Amino acid sequence: LYVVGGAWRGIARIHMAQTNYPLRIIHHYRLAVAEAEQISRLLSRQSKDSLARLAGVSRRRVDALPVAALVLRRLIRCAQPREVVFSAHGLREGLMYAALPERIRREDPLHAACRDIAAREGRFGEHGAELDAFIAPLFGDEKPAAARIRMAVGLLSDIAWRMHPDHRGEYVLNRILNGPFGGVDHAERAFLAVALFVRYTGTVEAPEFGQIINMLDEDARRRAPEIGLALRLAQTFSGGTAGVLENVRLRHGPVNLVFDVAEEAAMLVADVIERRLEALAKALGRNPEIRVGGRKR
């Protein structure tokens, strides 16, 4: 059940505050039916004064909240959904979307937002497809949904270059966790944030993650740092410039992670490249190997 409207968004805010939810993004906030019924029952029986004292309650929604909660309870009873999903958008956004040309409506909203951000905030514009193609061989067993999020990480992997190096990780973490873009649920948003934090810091475990890391399942906790480290290697080698990665490719077998470099790009293989290849290989459980012009270095 997808619910739209300010009063119902108020219910989501209260639930977030009461449960100390790690994100403060209403869009795509999900509640199991039992949780939605419980919070709706509680709010539908509260007085105005009691509601005003609750964390997360907007003053202008106090009068409407008990009625909205009662309606939500009745709607859940009639519709019998598996869960309730809150929308930050409403009828106006729906009308605007309906008026868009068909070719724009077919675009992936997450990738469209990421491309726009990358074009404005990246060093040399957007070349996420090239980055994605470079790291893709490491993730051949992914499902389409996971590949879609990986592409988004690549598109956003150079947006913090203007920040001081000591603050890039913190900047990108907050930028992604609080950014106004759609087409992504909360677990996917957390994945993006963790992967990009690792891309800038090289740190796989960090106190900055807080409860965010708990939003990821075991597989995602492994893959997010791997993607971050792979992009860290790619961005360091290419300097954020399109075309450079055409001279190198990654491949891995059961033992080694091989970094194949064309002869004409040998001068780009510096100590920092070796260190970042080692970090990625360790995360993947492989031994790092650099080859230049087909020869082991």
Side-chain angles (χ1 to χ4, degrees), residues 26-42:
I26 295 293
H27 195 61
H28 229 293
Y29 186 59
R30 312 173 85 96
L31 289 180
V33 169
E35 293 177 299
E37 287 182 331
Q38 183 181 36
I39 189 70
S40 298
R41 186 183 305 110
L42 173 67

Side-chain angles (χ1 to χ4, degrees), residues 9-39:
R9 286 195 294 270
I11 294 174
R13 288 191 184 91
I14 293 170
H15 192 269
M16 285 178 166
Q18 296 294 311
T19 58
N20 196 29
Y21 190 69
L23 290 184
R24 287 297 179 265
I25 300 291
I26 295 293
H27 195 61
H28 229 293
Y29 186 59
R30 312 173 85 96
L31 289 180
V33 169
E35 293 177 299
E37 287 182 331
Q38 183 181 36
I39 189 70

